[in-house]
Each structure stands twice: as structure tokens, then as C-alpha cells.
Amino acid sequence: MDVAAYMTELGQKARSAAREVARSATEVRNQALLATADALNEARAELAQANLKDLENGRANGLDAAMLDRLELTPARIDAMIEGLVQVASLPDPVGEITDMTYRPSGIQVGKMRVPLGVIGIIYESRPNVTVEAASLCLKSGNATILRGGSEAIHSNQAIAMCLDKGLALAGLPKAAVQVVTTTDRAAVGELITMPQYVDVIVPRGGKGLIERITRDARVPVIKHLDGVCHVYIDSHADPEKALKVAINAKTQRYGTCNTMETLLVDQEIAEDILPLLAGEFAEKSVELRGCERTLTILKDIVAATEDDWHAEYLAPILAVRVVDGLDGAIDHINRYSSQHTESIITENYTRARRFLTEVDSSSVMVNASTRFADGFEYGLGAEIGISTDKIHARGPVGLHGLTSQKYVVFGDGHIRT
């Protein structure tokens, strides 16, 4: 296969389809989503068969247990894909929304209209369900999309693509509105991220290595986050019961997610009281603690933290712990070491909470809540296409609004500038 020619063809088709999708009615896009949900339900056997091929190939190629788990399409995960399509169809359509209308002294009215981004390229690994999530959000927000999944999920993704094709056809939308790349050649990624004439935005979902490569080589704007070094700070004005509950949940509810706490900060005023309680609960869950010098004077049997630990995204039952000099010390540490993903303060002091919200420079900042809530579904976005730690129009979980932009609109009645 001539990969460059193939990707150019996909890009040309996507650009044409994007115009048609952008002017389609909300009801038509919703119809496509619901028809795709029906097609997935009817194709359960075909999806399971295709996924079995990927799982067998994955085992033969030495994929680890975690990767195989992410790859598997269980009946429950198919149910979740179907439910996700229904939920996205039920969300308000952001396209065409006009806001901030004001009269100017000249008599004209000026406002902003929300519009699709155009063609969105999405590059992801392992999870076949991302194919449905990404396609549904792009379609609902009036965009066309080119999806390049990992080679380990090629059969599953192609089976899902057939269901998407049926949904688009039943709604009368072009097949090219959602295109799933059929080649496993890695050169396809290089082509996709260097086609600004056809692709408006790239969204990578995968490991840090993949995202670093795309960020380095792309000639198209990228919405991304590299890692999730998330912090919870327990203030001296914290409710101890809340602090224990939130800190344990933020670390142990799931280890392998980007919004899992990786560093715990504790105010020195309460460290001697609360650290032993936390250590006991973390020990029950087999979490290894790595502490600073002050932490080691309180918890004698833990590992000494190094400088690398403050930068680490473990994605494992390991937690860095640091005793800090109050709120200023916590904010200084976070703004130095954080990946600007998600941070939380546990406190009953409103003034301190407000300072934390104002001065911590991350895409999600929380008060008395687990970092695990930093998720599109939990934020009411229906789903998310990824997390952005960039300081562009999309920051934090990226849902429908993050896949649109705004343009100025002006209304006059024969007005001329004098």
C-alpha cells in the first residue's frame, strides 16, 4: 500500500464530509448515533469474534495482562459503548449557539457563534471502545474524524467501523464523516499529523512516548496531556475524616489512570497526627510510600523519596509523600512539579480554598474532592475525547464544547462605518 496516497485520500474525503456534517441538523446527527447504537447491539457476535482475533494475536505477540484487559470487548463494555452513544445523542448540541450579543455605539450587534473545528484526527492505543467514544463526540459536535487505532485492535476497530458506517448511512450522512484507518503501518500516523490542508486538530490518546512523538512531529495543532502527576494537599484546617477518605480514594480507586493521585502533600502542623492514620490504610491496600525527610521522621519504615519521585507518574500502588510548610509550601511544590492535570485541597477554610483555586495552575483544581473525578463523564460532558493540559481553547476534559471553536458574528441594518 502507498500509505501517503491512502492517507491523502482519507484527508480529502474527510474535508469534503466535514462541510456536510457541519451543516447537518442536530436531529440527523443524533439519528446517526442512535442507529450506530442499534447496529452495535445487532453485531455483538461479530464484535466478539473480531475481538477474539485481536486477543489471540495479542497473546501470541506477548502483550501483558494490563494491555489485554484494555483490549478486551466484554459484553459489559459493548453495553457501555451503546449507552455512551445514547447519552451523547441526548446532550445539547453546541453547534450554532450564539452568545455574548451586545450593541455597539455604532448600532451593530456583535456576538459569538459556536462552530465545529472541521476534521479531527485521533490516534489511540488498545481500547476499541475509544473508536465509538471519539466518533460520537466528533459527529455530535459537527466534525468529521479520522481514527487511527493501535495495530493490536485492528480487527475490533474494523468491526466497530462497520457499525458506524451503518449508522451514518441510515441518517443520510457521508460515510467519510467517520473513517477508521485500515492499515497498521506506522507511517500512517506520520502522514496524519502532517496534513494541515486536510486535518484541523490532532488528539492523541496513549502512552507518554506516543504523545511526545506526535507533539514533536505534528504540523497540525495538538490537544493533549503528556502525563498526570496529580496532587492532594491536606491542609491544617482539613476535616480528618474527609482527608482520609479523599486521599485513599484518589490513590487506590484505580492505579492506572491519569487522574490518580501520585503525590500527597501534608501540612506540617497536622502531619504527626494524620500521617500514621493514612499509612495504616495505605498499608492495608499494599501501597508503597516514598517520603521526604520530614515524613521519614514520622513514618519510620517507608522508602526515602528522591527528586525523581516528585516528578513521577507511577500508575501503580506507589505514592510520594511530602510534609510542607502550609499552603504556600503546597502551592510552591505543585506549581514546580505538577503536570498541570488535576490537584485537590482538603480544607474547611474557605479563604485557603479560594487561594488554592486561584494560584494552582492546573486544568482541574478541586476542593474536598478526589482527583479521580477529573473525567468527562463525571463533569457532565457525556464522555470525553481526552484531557488537555494545554492553555488553548480546550483545557481539562475535552467534550463537545472542546471540539468546537467560536467565530464573531455581526448583525446590522445597513450600517456603514464613518
Side-chain angles (χ1 to χ4, degrees):
M1 175 187 287
D2 184 337
V3 174
Y6 169 66
M7 295 304 294
T8 296
E9 181 183 0
L10 292 189
Q12 291 171 338
K13 290 180 177 178
R15 179 62 74 203
S16 177
R19 299 186 186 99
E20 192 167 340
V21 175
R23 63 173 178 257
S24 66
T26 304
E27 294 76 13
V28 172
R29 281 175 268 138
N30 287 342
Q31 183 185 359
L33 296 175
L34 296 175
T36 299
D38 291 339
L40 286 171
N41 190 45
E42 293 168 2
R44 286 177 180 269
E46 291 85 351
L47 292 170
Q49 186 176 9
N51 187 240
L52 182 60
K53 289 182 183 178
D54 288 329
L55 290 169
E56 289 174 346
N57 290 340
R59 294 186 186 99
N61 292 327
L63 289 185
D64 61 32
M67 184 74 81
L68 289 170
D69 175 67
R70 290 194 290 270
L71 180 58
E72 187 176 7
L73 272 183
T74 64
R77 287 176 181 175
I78 295 174
D79 288 341
M81 289 194 297
I82 293 169
E83 177 60 26
L85 285 162
V86 173
Q87 288 185 4
V88 172
S90 70
L91 293 172
D93 183 2
V95 178
E97 178 185 73
I98 298 177
T99 58
D100 302 329
M101 291 296 296
T102 58
Y103 278 100
R104 302 300 302 146
S106 62
I108 62 170
Q109 280 185 283
V110 180
K112 293 180 180 179
M113 175 183 283
R114 193 160 291 280
V115 295
L117 294 176
V119 177
I120 301 174
I122 302 173
I123 302 163
Y124 54 104
E125 299 171 335
S126 305
R127 298 181 176 92
N129 58 296
V130 173
T131 304
V132 170
E133 290 177 6
S136 65
L137 288 171
C138 289
L139 188 62
K140 178 68 183 238
S141 54
N143 297 288
T145 184
I146 300 174
L147 303 168
R148 204 288 185 178
S151 58
E152 68 280 354
I154 187 65
H155 296 99
S156 304
N157 287 336
Q158 292 304 316
I160 291 170
M162 292 179 64
C163 297
L164 288 161
D165 288 348
K166 289 181 180 178
L168 291 166
L170 284 169
L173 289 172
K175 181 179 179 180
V178 179
Q179 298 179 91
V180 180
V181 176
T182 59
T183 178
T184 59
D185 192 323
R186 292 188 175 184
V189 173
E191 295 295 330
L192 184 59
I193 65 177
T194 55
M195 301 195 304
Q197 68 273 40
Y198 302 125
V199 179
D200 297 290
V201 176
I202 292 289
V203 181
R205 291 185 59 166
K208 187 174 182 179
L210 169 72
I211 297 172
E212 284 180 334
R213 176 209 164 182
I214 290 169
T215 304
R216 180 184 67 245
D217 298 340
R219 291 173 49 207
V220 178
V222 179
I223 296 176
K224 54 83 176 63
H225 78 274
L226 288 173
D227 46 20
V229 182
C230 302
H231 297 76
V232 172
Y233 165 57
I234 301 178
D235 182 55
S236 62
H237 288 233
D239 178 314
E241 184 177 344
K242 289 181 187 177
L244 286 168
K245 182 169 63 173
V246 171
I248 297 299
N249 180 265
K251 182 61 193 177
T252 67
Q253 200 264 339
R254 280 187 69 186
Y255 294 115
T257 60
C258 61
N259 55 16
T260 297
M261 172 180 66
E262 303 290 20
T263 298
L264 175 66
L265 305 175
V266 180
D267 191 320
Q268 56 88 20
E269 289 187 25
I270 59 166
E272 289 189 5
D273 295 325
I274 201 162
L275 277 177
L277 300 176
L278 285 163
E281 295 209 29
F282 281 126
E284 288 182 8
K285 297 181 180 293
S286 301
V287 175
E288 175 188 323
L289 301 182
R290 299 181 182 180
C292 69
E293 290 183 4
R294 287 196 282 187
T295 302
L296 292 172
T297 65
I298 300 169
L299 305 177
K300 307 293 185 181
D301 299 323
I302 68 171
V303 177
T306 68
E307 179 69 13
D308 289 342
D309 286 305
W310 310 127
H311 296 278
E313 183 185 28
Y314 299 112
L315 302 175
I318 304 171
L319 178 66
V321 183
R322 188 170 213 168
V323 176
V324 295
D325 293 324
L327 182 60
D328 288 326
I331 292 173
D332 287 346
H333 178 100
I334 291 170
N335 285 339
R336 177 177 178 182
Y337 295 105
S338 168
S339 62
Q340 299 185 316
H341 191 298
T342 302
E343 331 298 342
S344 181
I345 182 174
I346 315 302
T347 187
E348 299 301 305
N349 185 304
Y350 176 80
T351 302
R352 294 188 180 193
R354 286 287 300 180
R355 268 199 65 201
F356 191 84
L357 292 175
T358 301
E359 297 180 30
V360 169
D361 187 22
S362 295
S363 65
S364 286
V365 187
M366 303 179 171
V367 177
N368 294 330
S370 169
T371 59
R372 287 284 294 122
F373 281 111
D375 170 85
F377 181 80
E378 295 292 343
Y379 282 9
L381 306 180
E384 69 179 41
I385 208 162
I387 300 280
S388 171
T389 54
D390 293 321
K391 297 183 181 180
I392 55 175
H393 81 288
R395 197 176 188 200
V398 181
L400 294 178
H401 277 74
L403 297 178
T404 62
S405 183
Q406 289 181 303
K407 64 182 178 185
Y408 280 98
V409 292
V410 177
F411 294 88
D413 187 21
H415 286 78
I416 60 173
R417 185 170 178 176
T418 59

